[in-house]
Amino acid sequence: MKILLAGGGAFGEEHLKRLAGLDISIALADPRAERRDQLAARYPLAETGAEAALLLEQFAPDGVIIASPAQAHASLATMSLIRNIPVLVEKPVTLDSDTMRLLVRAQSESRAFLLPGHVLRFSSPHNRVRAILASGEIGDLLHFASRRYRDCSHVAAYPSIDPVFMTMIHDIDLALWYGGGSADLATAWRPEGASFTAARVVSSTGSLWDMRIGWLHRAAAPTDRVEIIGTKGSVDLVADSHLMVHAAESRREETGPGPDPLGSELACFLAGIREGRLSAPVTAVDALDGIYAAETIVAALTR
C-alpha cells in the first residue's frame, strides 16, 4: 500500500511514527526542504516533495492523509476524491460549512471516501461514555460539559485558526455524537487579550452544552474532563484516568490512557482502503455538523 502524507508538522509526524512500523510505502509532501530532510532521516520515506498535488500524480498513492495547514485541506481532499483516492483529513477538516458541503458532495460523486480526523471517536474511554448513555443507565442527555486546556505555545503555533475550530471542535463533536441533533442557539465569551473561550449551546434536541477551552497555561495544562448529566444520573470522565458513574448506584471505572486513538483511527483508514469501503464511527456529514456548530459559536463571539 502507498500512502501520501501531506504535512510534516508536529501532527504529521505523529502519523509518520505510526505508519513507519507498517508495511506501507510513504511519500511526504511539505514545502519546507529542511523539514523534509529531518523527517527523511528519521523515517523510511519512499519519496518527498514540496507540492502535495505533484506527488499525488507522481506517487499515485492508494490513500492520502492530510495534516497540512487547515486552509489547504479542502483543495487536496477534493483532488484526491476526484481521482477516487480515499482521504483522511485532520481537524478542522475545513474552516467553514460551505466548503465542507462541497467536500460532502465531492465524496458522494467519488468511489472513494473521506474520513474526518475526529480522533476522540476512536478513544476507548469516550466510547465507554457513549455506551453508558446508549444503555439508558443515566437516561436521556440533558447537559454536556467539557474543559480542554492547552499550553500557550498554541497561540504562536496556530495564529490563523480560531481556537473554537482547533480545540473546541473536539468537544463539539463529542456533544453531537452523544446527544445527536444540531446546534440551534449559541452564546460565547472570550476576554480581550486572553486565549480562553467559554461557549453555551442549546441543541435541536433540547440538550445544553457548556464548553471551555484555553491556550493559556505556561506549564502542563489540567487534564481534559467531560461530564454528562442525564435524566437518571450522570457520568464524569477524567481523561487518561477514570470515569465516575452516578445512577441507581455509584461506581468508579478505571480507564487509563487505553489503546492509542490515533493508531485506531489510522487502522480504520487503512482497512477502508484495503476493503474498498469505510466502516467508521464518524462521517463527512458529522464533520459538517461540527463545523456548522463551530461557526455558530464564533459568530456569537462577535455579538
Side-chain angles (χ1 to χ4, degrees):
M1 185 184 296
K2 298 165 68 177
I3 296 294
L4 168 61
L5 172 63
F11 212 70
E13 185 168 6
E14 290 300 318
H15 282 279
L16 275 178
K17 289 176 183 177
R18 291 156 178 82
L19 292 171
L22 305 175
D23 185 21
I24 291 173
S25 180
I26 308 166
L28 170 68
D30 193 283
R32 300 163 296 177
E34 182 179 358
R35 183 59 174 166
R36 295 197 303 272
D37 291 342
Q38 289 174 349
L39 294 176
R42 297 174 194 166
Y43 304 99
L45 300 178
E47 196 168 342
T48 66
E51 296 291 336
L54 189 58
L55 278 176
L56 192 64
E57 296 296 333
Q58 294 178 345
F59 188 64
D62 300 298
V64 177
I65 297 171
I66 303 177
S68 56
Q71 295 85 348
H73 287 184
S75 59
L76 182 56
T78 301
M79 284 189 281
S80 301
L81 291 169
I82 287 172
R83 291 162 176 77
N84 299 310
I85 300 172
V87 59
L88 189 165
V89 189
E90 278 305 334
K91 56 83 186 168
V93 179
T94 67
L95 293 174
D96 65 86
S97 57
D98 287 342
T99 303
M100 190 65 221
R101 287 187 186 92
L102 293 176
L103 276 184
V104 170
R105 180 184 300 173
Q107 178 186 240
S108 70
E109 296 171 349
S110 173
R111 295 195 301 274
F113 59 80
L114 185 154
L115 174 61
H118 288 223
V119 71
L120 292 185
R121 295 209 188 196
F122 294 88
S123 157
S124 295
H126 292 88
N127 271 273
R128 177 60 185 144
V129 171
R130 189 167 189 265
I132 291 168
L133 265 168
S135 74
E137 182 180 6
I138 66 167
D140 297 327
L141 188 146
L142 295 174
H143 185 250
F144 170 93
S146 64
R147 76 174 194 197
R148 192 171 305 275
Y149 303 143
R150 298 294 180 260
D151 66 74
C152 57
S153 69
H154 281 58
V155 175
Y158 306 106
S160 61
I161 301 179
D162 192 287
V164 170
F165 280 88
M166 193 68 198
T167 300
M168 191 179 282
I169 196 73
H170 287 295
D171 302 297
I172 292 168
D173 185 59
L174 287 177
L176 289 166
W177 192 34
Y178 291 158
S182 59
D184 270 7
L185 299 170
T187 56
W189 175 74
R190 178 179 294 159
E192 186 176 352
S195 185
F196 176 85
T197 307
R200 170 166 283 191
V201 174
V202 178
S203 80
S204 61
T205 64
S207 64
L208 183 67
W209 314 343
D210 281 307
M211 300 169 288
R212 292 172 293 155
I213 58 167
W215 293 352
L216 44 80
H217 289 79
R218 299 192 177 278
T223 303
D224 297 341
R225 297 188 71 140
V226 171
E227 180 191 62
I228 304 291
I229 299 175
T231 53
K232 298 179 182 178
S234 65
V235 57
D236 187 13
L237 172 65
V238 180
D240 298 337
S241 178
H242 67 279
L243 58 83
M244 294 295 301
V245 181
H246 300 284
E249 297 180 349
S250 295
R251 68 179 183 277
R252 174 183 173 120
E253 295 185 12
E254 302 297 329
T255 61
D260 173 31
L262 182 58
S264 298
E265 180 184 83
L266 280 171
C268 176
F269 179 60
L270 298 176
I273 295 171
R274 294 188 191 98
E275 297 165 11
R277 57 182 296 274
L278 181 66
S279 178
V282 60
T283 68
V285 173
D286 293 328
L288 172 59
D289 291 340
I291 290 164
Y292 174 78
E295 282 182 327
T296 303
I297 291 167
V298 170
L301 286 169
T302 64
R303 292 201 293 267

